[in-house]
């Protein structure tokens, strides 16, 4: 017996039965609800998509009330403890943990694409040294698409695999080469004898052993795992929206990177550090909390559209911070962060709104202690999230339910009116 939702329209007293599938209705089934037959039919009005499932996906599962996060069914805690960034990337993109041979092939395929066209470095050289790293990265990812025109053949699975390998391999290179440019340092070529996280840190800080400590390399790999995917977040939705019109994946990743840049999304890790720096000391926290309650400022790194409990990643990042600080020495802003968190978790204003630390609350403190410049914090988020975006993109292309994304609107503007010449206005 199929499950149905029975709706009675009080305007016409007509009754409608809408199929319930997986506990939901298809929004398009609302279109049959009309007053007059020549109408377009009913839509669901859902600004910011707070209650809209845009797709069916098996990549990532989040339970916001329980604070659960799983990649392809595996709990994030287990992956952070036992896996590696490239193994998790393969899991997200292909759906299963790879065998030894599959993992070796994957790692080698990525290393095979571990260089960027020389002209990209000329483009990097044209950026002012003061350019924000995310503005540069967004541009450089799109620029990469011009060197791989064959990547537009998104119906060619071999081509898509090459694009996926190129993006996972080259986004960190774009980031590191841009950083070296801003520091007036020569580019460090990728070293394929190194694992992914170590190679990135080496391209950034070669020769500075303090920044290449094995515990920092391990922490970086864990950070990339924790940031790898998060179901239909703002930037993943952009990756799917842009991907639905079928451009090359480099351009779609550039669009997703632009979405992540915003301070309400991935840009929050940079905004948290700005906030902690402006608070300046523990004694200023009560005054800051009052400003938050008056809605004059936001408590950056707190709150989440889905998590109404502690973000499981924030818990892990707090532990990772201890490992990093044991090498780098603690970050003076950590005391402010810990006190801010303690107060926020005890105050009704935050508890009543289910505001808990999210992934961005601690990550910035860790990145700063590792010597990463503030405007590159969200670049690190981008490096971690690129495999997740590509997993979502690959799933979109294979989903027969999907076509070009084109929402409708509730029109609130003028009805038809006649043009008036400028002298008569
Ligand atoms: C990420 O979606 C994802 O999965 C994202 C992400 C991922 O991995 O991809 O998890 C990564 O983007 C994490 C979020 C990082 N952003 C921040 O830390 C910025 C600060 N947080 C807020 O801007 C906010 O919490 C959002 C944007 C994260 C979520 O916003 P919502 O779901 O739209 O919540 P809301 O704005 O409707 O807030 C509900 C209430 C409001 O108060 P009332 O109107 O009910 O009185 O909570 C308040 C808000 O004013 N509120 C905050 C707050 N966040 C929400 N008040 C103070 N400080 C905050 N941070």
């Amino acid at each position: 017996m199929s499950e149905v939702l029975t709706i009675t329209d009080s305007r016409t007293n007509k009754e409608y039965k809408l199929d319930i599938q997986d506990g939901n209705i298809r929004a398009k089934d609302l279109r049959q609800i009309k007053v007059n037959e020549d109408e377009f039919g009913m839509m669901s009005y859902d600004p910011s998509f707070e209650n809209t499932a845009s797709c069916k996906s098996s990549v990532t599962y989040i339970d916001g009330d329980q604070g659960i996060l799983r990649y392809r069914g595996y709990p994030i805690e287990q992956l952070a403890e036992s896996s590696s960034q490239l193994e998790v990337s393969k899991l997200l993109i292909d759906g299963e943990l790879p065998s030894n041979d599959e993992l070796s092939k994957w790692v080698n395929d990525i290393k095979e694409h571990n260089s960027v066209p020389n002209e990209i470095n000329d483009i990097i050289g044209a950026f002012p040294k003061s350019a924000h790293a995310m503005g540069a990265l967004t541009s450089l990812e799109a620029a990469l698409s011009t060197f791989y025109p064959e990547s537009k053949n998104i119906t060619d699975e071999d081509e898509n695999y090459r694009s996926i390998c190129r993006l996972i391999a080259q986004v960190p290179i774009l980031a590191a080469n841009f950083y070296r440019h801003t520091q007036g340092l020569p580019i460090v070529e990728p070293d394929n004898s190194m694992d992914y996280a170590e190679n990135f840190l080496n391209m950034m800080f070669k020769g500075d052993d303090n920044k290449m400590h094995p515990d920092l390399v391990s922490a970086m790999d864990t950070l990339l795992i924790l940031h790898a995917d998060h179901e239909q977040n703002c930037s993943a939705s952009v990756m799917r929206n842009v991907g639905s019109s079928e451009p090359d994946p480099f351009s779609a990743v550039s669009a997703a990177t632009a979405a992540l840049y915003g301070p309400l999304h991935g840009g929050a890790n940079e905004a948290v550090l700005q906030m902690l720096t402006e608070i300046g000391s523990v004694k200023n926290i009560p005054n800051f909390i009052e400003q938050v309650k008056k809605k004059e400022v936001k408590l950056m790194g707190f709150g989440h559209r889905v998590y109404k409990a502690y973000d499981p990643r924030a818990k892990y990042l707090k532990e990772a911070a201890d490992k990093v600080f044991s090498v780098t020495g603690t970050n003076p802003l950590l005391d402010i962060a810990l006190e801010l968190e303690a107060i926020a978790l005890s105050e009704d204003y935050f508890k009543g709104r289910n505001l808990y630390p999210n992934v961005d609350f601690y990550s910035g403190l860790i990145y700063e202690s590792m010597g990463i410049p503030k405007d590159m914090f969200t670049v690190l988020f981008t490096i971690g999230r690129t495999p997740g975006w590509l997993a979502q993109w690959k799933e979109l292309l294979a989903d027969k339910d999907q076509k070009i994304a084109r929402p409708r609107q509730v029109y609130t503007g003028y009805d038809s009116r006649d043009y008036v010449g400028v002298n008569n206005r």
Side-chain angles (χ1 to χ4, degrees), residues 333-353:
L333 297 175
L334 179 65
D335 295 339
I336 300 174
L338 291 169
E339 181 63 13
L340 196 50
E341 179 189 32
I343 293 176
L345 294 180
S346 66
E347 292 251 353
D348 289 342
Y349 180 88
F350 300 94
K351 287 196 293 190
R353 292 170 174 80

Side-chain angles (χ1 to χ4, degrees), residues 379-408:
V379 167
L380 271 291
F381 198 147
T382 305
I383 295 171
R385 186 54 56 90
T386 295
W389 289 332
L390 292 167
Q392 299 286 346
W393 173 73
K394 190 179 169 191
E395 188 177 64
L396 163 86
L397 295 183
D399 185 344
K400 299 288 171 265
D401 230 6
Q402 296 287 342
K403 47 189 182 177
I404 188 166
R406 203 278 185 218
R408 302 306 304 267

Side-chain angles (χ1 to χ4, degrees), residues 15 36 48 119 155 169 185 205 208 230 277-278 285 292 374:
E15 188 176 275
N36 305 307
S48 329
E119 297 84 342
T155 55
L185 296 170
F205 304 124
D208 184 344
H230 215 239
T277 306
E278 284 167 9
I285 290 176
V292 173
K374 198 156 50 188

